């Protein structure tokens, strides 16, 4: 019998990846390619949606060649994607009418302020689980319709479609036959009622977005449609936003289990089960996934800048050549580091939600060198994670015994040890840190009968557990100074 495989497409903020897994959940091929980041104005971030599509398809082809398998051996495809990033395209031509506006983009901050002035904050929170912020898709769609000539009119004629990146890929992979998304991605638009599981007419009307633009919303483990490759019909059987996918890939199936992903941003999610729970402390409520005719929810804290702060050291300041060097240079600072970097390059996310904050460095003295700056940048990821974990524990009334971690930066031992020290919680790193793609693969695999949930739990292995070593006094002093630094970055832009 021919060996079968599952493919996961991981469309991230800075790169596209394709991973192929066998029945034993082992990765047999992995390809990756970066694509262009477009910054038309300060605070604006865009991607070329066609470049994303072509890059993703290229990595898929390369992965098949690397694995030496044929399309007939693919049991199913799962998709995971950068969330909130917004594409509007013409359904007749298949062409985007504007670049994809990325989740980090801040151009709609003023629109968000106007929405707040109408008194919609509480309604948005109760309906969508979110706060009013330029992070989410709704105001990005509104901006495109108002700034591209003729867009509003075309949308009202039913000629335009909106999608987060998963929908854009799905529409193209199915040759325009399927315009859909899953519960997890829909819950990131600020237009979706996560309690009643439908597009919210009040919010759609407020932003003048024709409901005909919006995709159908399906479970995360579901046969969305087929991708035809060399005459073979391959089921697209799983879709989830990247952070929910990582939560699934970490096997956080029980209420109260949490993970933190260190990617371009830093995202902590806690499974709250089938109950929709609201935060009193600046976190957002979101749909984790839909599976087996049930919907599961999560509390989430979002840090906008994490791995991208390391990219800033590499590309902006050019003081490291690659991410791995950050650990090497940071280790040279053996004394307590007096420098604090607050990487609020795109404002502050949870629990502060300040669109007008900007990045800063504090504590500079004449003997400050690049090693201090590198170490402080790494430590900022851990401090921002503590900001979120503290309020998450308050909201859930649960104390975590350990934090599951994943994403590229969790390979950094110095960062993970500091994370455990500043949280006073054990940090658990799995052998397979590619949990985002694993989640997408699992969702697809479940749909086509390739795996069961018990397979994930039984085969999950821990690479290393980092245990706290700081005294209470040291931990509290360091964190107090961090909080002081954060306060001084707030409301910087008038």
């Amino acid at each position: 019998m021919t060996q079968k495989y599952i493919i996961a497409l991981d469309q991230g903020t800075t790169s596209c990846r394709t991973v192929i897994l066998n029945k034993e959940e082992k990765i047999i091929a992995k390809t990756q390619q970066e694509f262009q980041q477009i910054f038309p104005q300060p605070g604006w971030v865009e991607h070329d949606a066609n470049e994303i599509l072509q890059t993703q398809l290229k990595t898929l082809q390369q992965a098949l060649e690397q694995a030496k398998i044929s399309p007939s051996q693919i049991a199913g495809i799962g998709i995971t994607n950068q969330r909130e990033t917004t594409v509007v395209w013409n359904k007749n031509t298949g062409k985007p009418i504007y670049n994809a506006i990325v989740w980090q983009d801040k151009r709609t901050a003023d629109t968000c302020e106007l929405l707040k002035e109408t008194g919609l904050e509480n309604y948005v929170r109760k309906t969508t689980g979110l706060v009013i912020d330029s992070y989410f898709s709704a105001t990005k769609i509104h901006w495109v319709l108002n700034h591209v000539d003729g867009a509003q009119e075309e949308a009202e004629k039913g000629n335009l479609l909106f999608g987060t990146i998963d929908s854009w890929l799905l529409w193209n992979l199915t040759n325009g036959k399927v315009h859909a998304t899953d519960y997890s991605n829909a819950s990131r638009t600020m237009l979706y009622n996560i309690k009643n599981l439908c597009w919210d007419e009040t919010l759609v009307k407020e932003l003048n977005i024709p409901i005909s633009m919006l995709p159908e919303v399906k479970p995360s483990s579901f046969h969305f449609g087929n991708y035809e490759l060399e005459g073979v019909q391959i089921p697209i059987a799983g879709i989830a936003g990247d952070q929910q996918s990582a939560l699934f890939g970490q096997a956080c199936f029980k209420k109260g289990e949490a993970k933190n992903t260190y990617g371009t941003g830093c995202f902590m999610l806690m499974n709250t089960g089938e109950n929709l729970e609201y935060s009193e402390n600046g976190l957002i409520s979101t749909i984790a996934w839909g599976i087996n005719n049930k919907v599961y929810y999560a509390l989430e804290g979002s840090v906008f800048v994490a791995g991208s702060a390391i990219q800033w050291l590499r590309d902006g300041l050019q003081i490291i050549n690659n991410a791995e060097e950050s650990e090497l240079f940071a280790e040279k600072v053996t004394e307590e580091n007096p420098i604090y970097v607050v990487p609020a390059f795109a404002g502050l996310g949870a629990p502060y939600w300040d669109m007008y904050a900007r990045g800063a460095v504090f504590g500079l003295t004449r003997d400050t060198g690049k090693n201090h700056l590198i170490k402080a940048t790494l430590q900022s990821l851990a401090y921002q994670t503590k900001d979120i974990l503290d309020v998450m524990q308050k909201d859930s009334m649960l104390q975590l015994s350990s934090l599951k971690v994943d994403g590229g930066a969790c390979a950094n031992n110095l960062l993970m040890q500091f994370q455990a020290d500043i949280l006073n919680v054990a940090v658990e790193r799995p052998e397979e840190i590619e949990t985002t793609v694993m989640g997408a693969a699992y969702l697809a695999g479940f749909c086509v009968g390739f795996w069961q949930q018990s397979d994930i739990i039984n085969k999950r292995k821990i690479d290393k557990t980092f245990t706290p070593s700081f005294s209470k006094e040291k931990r509290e002093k360091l964190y107090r100074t961090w909080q002081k630094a954060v306060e001084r970055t707030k409301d910087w832009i008038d």
Side-chain angles (χ1 to χ4, degrees):
M1 191 174 176
T2 307
Q3 174 82 32
K4 292 276 190 176
Y5 302 89
I6 292 286
I7 285 182
L9 306 180
D10 179 7
Q11 202 299 295
T13 307
T14 59
S15 68
C16 296
R17 298 192 303 158
T18 297
V19 169
I20 302 179
L21 295 97
N22 63 18
K23 185 81 171 173
E24 288 69 47
E25 300 170 34
K26 298 294 183 191
I27 292 175
I28 64 156
K30 178 164 59 176
T31 56
Q32 180 170 357
Q33 185 174 328
E34 291 190 356
F35 55 86
Q36 185 184 10
Q37 305 294 305
I38 304 164
F39 307 104
Q41 294 183 30
W44 292 29
V45 190
E46 297 177 0
H47 293 153
D48 179 335
N50 278 319
E51 184 189 4
I52 284 176
L53 174 64
Q54 295 309 316
T55 304
Q56 190 67 68
L57 290 173
K58 186 176 179 182
T59 65
L60 170 57
Q61 192 58 46
Q62 289 171 338
L64 289 170
E65 290 167 5
Q66 191 181 107
K68 295 182 173 62
I69 64 171
S70 66
S72 62
Q73 292 177 270
I74 304 166
I77 295 174
I79 298 172
T80 185
N81 56 287
Q82 55 167 316
R83 305 172 304 170
E84 299 93 19
T85 296
T86 296
V87 187
V88 176
W89 69 96
N90 186 302
K91 71 177 185 183
N92 303 312
T93 66
K95 294 179 180 177
I97 65 167
Y98 189 80
N99 278 339
I101 302 181
V102 181
W103 58 272
Q104 298 159 315
D105 190 282
K106 294 294 161 191
R107 79 186 66 184
T108 63
D110 289 346
T111 306
C112 292
E113 292 303 329
L114 290 172
L115 285 174
K116 290 176 185 177
E117 287 171 17
T118 63
L120 276 170
E121 278 188 280
N122 194 52
Y123 182 82
V124 166
R125 183 168 171 271
K126 289 296 180 186
T127 304
T128 70
L130 309 177
V131 297
I132 295 176
D133 195 89
S134 57
Y135 174 29
F136 306 111
S137 310
T139 56
K140 301 181 196 299
I141 306 169
H142 179 265
W143 188 95
V144 171
L145 294 182
N146 281 275
H147 287 82
V148 175
D149 285 346
Q152 186 72 50
E153 186 183 351
E154 285 297 299
E156 286 168 6
K157 286 179 182 173
N159 291 329
L160 299 186
L161 300 178
F162 150 74
T164 41
I165 296 293
D166 59 301
S167 297
W168 167 244
L169 291 177
L170 178 65
W171 193 84
N172 280 284
L173 290 171
T174 60
N175 286 317
K177 291 175 185 170
V178 182
H179 182 220
T181 188
D182 87 300
Y183 288 130
S184 71
N185 278 295
S187 74
R188 312 302 297 187
T189 60
M190 212 177 83
L191 294 171
Y192 193 69
N193 187 317
I194 63 172
K195 190 183 288 185
N196 298 337
L197 305 179
C198 62
W199 295 112
D200 186 79
E201 289 186 15
T202 300
L203 294 172
V204 167
K205 188 176 177 182
E206 182 69 32
L207 289 163
N208 203 18
I209 297 169
I211 208 154
S212 61
M213 292 181 70
L214 306 178
E216 281 190 78
V217 185
K218 305 289 187 183
S220 310
S221 185
F222 181 81
H223 185 180
F224 289 87
N226 295 325
Y227 174 46
E228 185 176 330
L229 187 60
E230 296 175 20
V232 178
Q233 298 288 334
I234 305 167
I236 300 167
I239 292 178
D242 53 10
Q243 302 313 318
Q244 287 95 330
S245 187
L247 188 71
F248 201 84
Q250 284 274 33
C252 293
F253 302 140
K254 294 178 183 173
K255 183 174 181 175
E257 292 186 322
K259 68 89 200 174
N260 196 35
T261 296
Y262 303 80
T264 301
C266 209
F267 300 89
M268 187 183 291
L269 274 74
M270 176 186 281
N271 187 334
T272 61
E274 293 177 63
N275 301 320
L276 170 55
E277 294 185 10
Y278 293 101
S279 170
E280 299 301 323
N281 296 285
L283 302 183
I284 57 178
S285 306
T286 196
I287 296 178
W289 49 73
I291 193 170
N292 299 330
N293 299 313
K294 292 181 180 179
V295 171
Y296 295 84
Y297 295 93
L299 281 173
E300 175 175 333
S302 310
V303 171
F304 295 148
V305 175
S308 53
I310 312 303
Q311 284 183 321
W312 168 67
L313 296 176
R314 183 192 70 186
D315 303 335
L317 300 186
Q318 298 182 356
I319 56 175
I320 57 173
N321 294 311
N322 52 58
E324 291 73 26
E325 282 188 359
S326 63
E327 183 173 6
L328 177 72
F329 289 119
E331 282 177 333
K332 294 180 180 181
V333 181
T334 52
E335 71 280 8
E336 196 168 301
N337 191 19
I339 305 303
Y340 285 77
V341 171
V342 183
F345 305 147
L348 290 167
Y352 307 106
W353 293 107
D354 186 342
M355 294 181 284
Y356 304 105
R358 287 297 179 267
V361 183
F362 297 97
L364 293 171
T365 56
R366 181 63 184 82
D367 62 340
T368 300
K370 78 171 188 178
N371 296 342
H372 295 94
L373 194 59
I374 292 166
K375 187 169 186 178
T377 303
L378 282 176
Q379 290 175 330
S380 74
L381 278 61
Y383 285 125
Q384 290 177 101
T385 298
K386 178 170 172 59
D387 288 340
I388 291 171
L389 183 61
D390 283 358
V391 296
M392 192 171 274
Q393 291 185 142
K394 278 183 196 170
D395 283 332
S396 65
M397 293 184 288
L398 294 167
Q399 289 291 315
L400 284 192
S401 57
S402 65
L403 178 67
K404 297 177 181 181
V405 297
D406 56 69
C410 86
N412 187 311
N413 290 327
L414 182 144
L415 170 59
M416 290 300 100
Q417 183 58 54
F418 186 75
Q419 185 70 88
D421 289 334
I422 206 68
L423 291 180
N424 197 32
V425 165
V427 169
E428 191 180 279
R429 182 173 67 199
E431 276 188 10
E432 182 50 74
I433 65 172
E434 299 282 6
T435 54
T436 301
V437 289
M438 296 299 284
Y442 290 148
L443 287 165
F446 292 166
C447 179
V448 298
F450 199 71
W451 292 306
Q452 304 296 320
Q453 273 183 262
S454 56
D455 295 335
I456 305 177
I457 297 166
N458 295 338
K459 291 183 180 177
R460 187 175 179 274
K461 292 185 174 68
I462 304 303
D463 168 51
K464 188 169 182 178
T465 299
F466 298 86
T467 54
S469 61
F470 281 0
S471 68
K472 182 182 178 185
E473 293 73 24
K474 181 177 181 178
R475 186 170 61 253
E476 288 179 351
K477 180 188 173 190
L478 288 170
Y479 188 58
R480 268 197 312 274
T481 312
W482 163 257
Q483 290 176 304
K484 185 164 74 169
V486 170
E487 283 301 314
R488 294 182 181 183
T489 69
K490 288 182 179 178
D491 203 27
W492 181 257
I493 301 296
D494 293 327

